[in-house]
């Protein structure tokens, strides 16, 4: 309250995060800030420790230039879709997360490709989609902070030993990273590989729909698989939209999203893991 | 019934006017009230944006609106308007600002000339409601973050993409129908040509 003024924070190097700075400002800043901008150019996660003196800008979903925030949000939605699929199925149905392509908001839906080996021909009913969305909302309601973890290649391999797809990707990702580390993101119990950045917490996800699940024909590197493409659409909590307009978005998200399919038909020309394409998307 | 309707003698203000005036309680009585309001109106014209208590802000706003609307209507050669400006503006250089700067600025407005916005209030405190009173068209950054037209916001990006998609599908539909109609036209022509020689033969 009062006149805005320039201020300087004295924080702990390597410990304090932009989120801590927001806590010094106000509760509103804490809840609504989605992404931080360091020195005007670097997009930084809210829960990633600061390493040096810098200028800090906190961006929300309604900032004037929200492109990067939107991308981070879309990426977070894909990431949480993986978490949601892992918890929603019964123990008798094994779920293996494959990957998600870089965030493309124009495509109209966020995507996660998931392998369900025990379900060769699954046609999800409307009820099942709603149940999935309910699981998603449950995760969002827990208001989990989304943390960034940097781990070594060996540790990452150990963590993803159950997941054959991710396990295979890790050496490649570590090689492409500057310091040979693998960047992971964590929300509650769920950990996934992603280039980042992501938004501050799951509580910032508002309205969400799992629009459709499409079976992807073809095979991955010649191996038989039952890959399904999970598609959803969602809006941040701070953005309100008329239900009619929102239904248009949901209807559009029901069509198959053709963003980088992992199966063989389209993967011949580019068989890069998702994290790399995300870098490309972030640079563009 | 020869009496003129008072409400038609003065220009109608574009802000809600309460039925009763506020007394703005003080020791000097009505004179003190006017002193307070004159100070506020002067401050508003000088700084273009001020923060104050709701009662005083809303009361001063009405006088400021009236003053601007008179200045626009009558200009600086009108004795009564000049006297009013002289009375309400304690700093005399602001009279020039009123006629030379503010009157031209607001001449084409079809909204109110001032804006009254609720200011934040510390929770659980017993302070009176605060407001921000400002002249429209001031040079400061906007106080309200209303950006429903920002095409970069997430929902607008999604809606624009959906619109584009819908249009493309419609164009594709139209493009599909075009060759068919041409063919049918050609067929019709063919039939006519076919029919003509027959007629000739008959003749």
């Amino acid at each position: 309250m009062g006149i805005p003024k320039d201020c300087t924070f004295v924080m702990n190097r390597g410990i304090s995060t932009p989120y801590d700075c927001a806590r010094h400002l106000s509760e509103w800043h804490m809840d609504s800030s989605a992404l931080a901008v360091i020195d005007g150019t670097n997009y930084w996660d809210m829960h990633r420790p600061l390493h040096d003196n810098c200028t800090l800008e906190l961006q929300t979903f309604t900032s004037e230039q929200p492109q990067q925030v939107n991308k981070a949000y879309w990426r977070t939605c894909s990431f949480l879709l993986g978490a949601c699929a892992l918890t929603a199925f019964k123990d008798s149905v094994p779920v293996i997360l494959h990957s998600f392509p870089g965030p493309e908001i124009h495509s109209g839906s966020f995507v996660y490709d998931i392998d369900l080996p025990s379900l060769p021909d699954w046609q999800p009913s409307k009820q099942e989609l709603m149940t999935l969305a309910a699981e998603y909302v449950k995760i969002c309601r827990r208001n989990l902070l989304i943390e960034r973890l940097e781990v070594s290649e060996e540790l990452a391999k150990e963590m993803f030993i159950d997941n054959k797809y991710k396990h295979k990707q890790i050496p490649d990702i570590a090689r492409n990273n500057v310091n040979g580390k693998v960047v992971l993101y964590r929300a509650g119990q769920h950990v996934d590989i992603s280039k980042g950045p992501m938004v501050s917490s799951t509580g910032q996800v508002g309205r969400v729909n799992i629009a459709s699940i499409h079976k992807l024909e073809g095979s991955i590197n010649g191996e038989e698989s039952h890959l399904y493409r999970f598609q959803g659409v969602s809006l941040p909590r701070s953005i309100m939209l008329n239900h009619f307009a929102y239904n248009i978005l949901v209807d559009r998200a029901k069509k198959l999203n053709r963003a980088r399919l992992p199966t063989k038909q389209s993967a011949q020309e580019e068989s890069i893991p998702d994290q790399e394409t995300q870098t490309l998307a972030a640079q563009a | 019934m020869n009496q003129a309707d008072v409400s038609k003698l003065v220009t109608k203000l574009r802000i809600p006017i309460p039925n009763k005036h506020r007394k703005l309680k003080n020791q000097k009585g009505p004179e003190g009230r006017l002193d307070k309001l004159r100070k506020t109106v002067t401050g508003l014209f000088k700084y273009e944006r001020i923060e104050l208590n709701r009662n005083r802000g809303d009361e001063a706003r009405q006088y400021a609106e009236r003053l601007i609307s008179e200045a626009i209507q009558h200009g600086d050669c009108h004795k009564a308007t000049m006297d009013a400006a002289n009375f309400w503006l304690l700093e005399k250089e602001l009279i020039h600002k009123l006629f030379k700067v503010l009157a031209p600025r607001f001449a084409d407005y079809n909204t109110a000339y001032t804006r009254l916005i609720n200011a934040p209030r510390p929770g659980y405190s017993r302070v009176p409601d605060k407001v921000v009173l400002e002249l429209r068209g001031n040079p400061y950054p906007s106080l309200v973050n209303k950006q429903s037209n920002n095409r970069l916001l997430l929902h607008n990006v999604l809606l624009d993409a959906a619109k584009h998609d819908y249009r493309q599908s419609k164009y594709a539909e139209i493009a599909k129908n075009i060759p068919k109609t041409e063919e049918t036209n050609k067929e019709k022509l063919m039939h006519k040509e076919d029919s003509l020689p027959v007629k000739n033969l008959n003749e």
Side-chain angles (χ1 to χ4, degrees):
Chain A
M1 199 173 154
I3 304 160
K5 51 193 171 197
D6 290 334
C7 56
T8 310
F9 285 123
V10 182
M11 309 298 286
N12 296 314
R13 186 193 303 261
I15 298 172
S16 300
T17 61
Y19 187 70
D20 293 323
C21 297
R23 285 166 87 178
H24 281 288
L25 290 169
S26 75
E27 195 181 350
W28 181 84
H29 285 95
M30 251 167 71
D31 292 342
S32 66
S33 303
L35 202 60
V37 189
I38 304 280
D39 293 328
T41 49
N42 250 342
Y43 289 89
W44 205 263
D45 298 272
M46 286 299 284
H47 301 287
R48 181 177 176 186
L50 298 164
H51 293 303
D52 218 336
N53 291 338
C54 58
T55 63
L56 181 69
E57 185 198 331
L58 301 175
Q59 288 202 329
T60 66
F61 293 103
T62 47
S63 301
E64 234 162 84
Q65 299 283 329
Q67 294 100 321
Q68 293 302 323
V69 183
N70 289 348
K71 273 187 179 171
Y73 178 74
W74 221 232
R75 192 179 286 125
T76 312
C77 285
S78 288
F79 165 71
L80 292 178
L81 185 53
C84 154
L86 281 180
T87 53
F89 287 96
K90 278 182 191 168
D91 288 343
S92 56
V93 181
V95 177
I96 309 171
L97 301 183
H98 183 272
S99 66
F100 56 96
E104 269 184 61
I105 297 160
H106 288 279
S107 66
S109 53
F110 56 85
V111 168
Y112 210 122
D113 296 324
I114 297 169
D115 192 5
L116 304 171
S118 63
L119 296 174
D121 252 326
W122 183 39
Q123 299 276 347
S125 67
K126 204 176 170 189
Q127 196 61 44
E128 283 167 325
L129 291 178
M130 278 169 77
T131 315
L132 266 175
E135 282 298 325
Y136 202 111
V137 171
K138 263 187 207 165
I139 294 173
C140 298
R141 289 270 171 85
R142 283 166 68 196
N143 205 0
L144 304 163
L145 304 184
I146 299 173
E147 286 170 71
R148 181 192 163 98
L149 312 167
E150 274 186 33
V151 299
S152 63
E153 191 184 334
E154 288 75 43
L155 183 59
K157 272 187 168 177
E158 203 184 320
M159 287 167 87
F160 287 97
I161 199 130
D162 296 335
N163 189 326
K164 54 183 178 182
Y165 303 115
K166 304 252 177 203
H167 193 257
K168 249 183 235 168
Q169 286 176 4
I170 286 169
D172 208 34
I173 294 163
R175 223 181 306 123
N176 286 318
N177 227 337
V178 182
N179 51 8
K181 297 241 174 169
V182 182
V183 180
L184 307 179
Y185 277 84
R186 168 172 166 252
Q189 297 288 309
H190 181 62
V191 180
D192 204 345
I193 309 171
S194 173
K195 181 81 190 167
M198 292 209 188
V199 299
S200 174
S201 86
T202 62
Q204 291 176 334
V205 179
R207 214 165 180 184
V208 63
N209 267 64
I210 310 295
S212 60
I213 299 173
H214 294 279
K215 167 118 207 218
L216 298 179
E217 299 301 330
S219 55
I220 308 165
N221 304 330
E223 281 176 44
E224 191 63 32
S225 69
H226 301 295
L227 264 192
Y228 289 88
R229 174 154 277 197
F230 286 56
Q231 291 180 194
V233 67
S234 126
L235 288 177
R237 212 175 55 181
S238 54
I239 289 182
M240 305 288 278
L241 189 61
N242 169 294
H243 72 94
F244 181 83
Y246 185 73
N247 275 347
I248 292 175
L249 300 184
V250 174
D251 284 343
R252 177 153 182 260
K254 281 177 186 161
K255 291 179 200 159
L256 175 63
N257 187 338
R258 298 217 154 265
R260 203 178 56 76
L261 297 162
T263 47
K264 210 171 180 192
Q265 312 151 315
S266 62
Q268 276 164 346
E269 57 268 35
E270 42 159 4
S271 56
I272 333 162
D274 62 333
Q275 283 73 24
E276 274 179 80
T277 40
Q278 281 186 12
T279 9
L280 291 175
Q283 282 164 359
Chain B
M1 295 299 280
N2 290 330
Q3 209 167 10
D5 188 358
V6 178
S7 65
K8 292 198 173 139
L9 293 180
V10 287
T11 47
K12 196 176 178 214
L13 295 185
R14 293 159 188 147
I15 54 169
I17 310 274
N19 296 333
K20 268 185 179 175
H21 67 277
R22 295 183 178 88
K23 287 187 176 167
L24 303 182
K25 189 165 66 173
N26 69 85
Q27 286 187 343
K28 283 162 81 185
E31 194 194 338
R33 169 178 179 274
L34 279 180
D35 278 348
K36 273 184 170 182
L37 291 173
R38 278 159 78 183
K39 271 184 206 161
T40 312
V41 171
T42 307
L44 174 66
F45 279 51
K46 187 174 179 186
Y47 299 110
E48 305 216 359
R49 176 183 283 174
I50 49 177
E51 184 178 346
L52 64 174
N53 292 350
R54 166 174 291 287
N55 275 348
R56 193 163 162 179
D58 192 30
E59 203 66 8
R61 185 189 189 196
Q62 299 166 32
Y63 290 100
E65 286 270 342
R66 167 63 61 214
L67 192 57
I68 295 171
S69 98
E70 294 292 306
I72 292 169
Q73 203 183 10
H74 299 299
D76 51 359
C77 297
H78 188 246
K79 178 86 182 6
T81 310
M82 203 46 141
D83 286 347
N86 194 24
F87 175 78
W88 282 105
L89 300 174
L90 298 174
E91 293 176 27
K92 298 308 164 197
E93 62 269 25
L94 290 176
I95 299 174
H96 291 282
K97 185 180 178 183
L98 172 65
F99 289 106
K100 300 271 166 60
V101 180
L102 298 181
R105 188 205 283 176
F106 294 127
D108 302 333
Y109 273 46
N110 48 12
T111 57
Y113 312 121
T114 57
R115 196 189 274 130
L116 195 73
I117 301 163
N118 290 345
R121 178 183 177 188
Y124 310 111
S125 64
R126 298 189 60 185
V127 294
D129 287 352
K130 292 275 180 186
V131 290
V132 174
L133 179 61
E134 63 175 7
L135 293 178
R136 283 180 198 254
N138 61 34
Y140 307 120
S142 169
L143 283 179
V144 281
N145 184 18
K146 196 179 172 191
Q147 296 191 43
S148 48
N149 283 329
N150 185 352
R151 300 323 292 176
L152 297 170
L153 292 185
L154 187 67
H155 60 303
N156 283 339
V157 172
L158 284 169
L159 283 174
D160 284 345
K163 192 170 151 191
H164 179 78
D165 214 38
Y166 177 75
R167 287 212 169 153
Q168 290 302 316
S169 68
K170 281 285 161 193
Y171 290 148
E173 222 171 74
I174 292 166
K176 224 189 220 172
N177 292 336
I178 286 171
K180 268 185 198 169
T181 48
E182 272 180 8
E183 273 170 30
T184 47
N185 285 342
K186 269 182 194 170
E187 276 169 21
K188 275 177 195 170
L189 283 175
M190 291 283 275
H191 284 302
K192 272 181 189 171
E193 280 163 14
D194 286 344
S195 57
L196 279 174
V198 178
K199 273 180 190 173
N200 287 343
L201 279 177
N202 288 345
E203 280 167 8

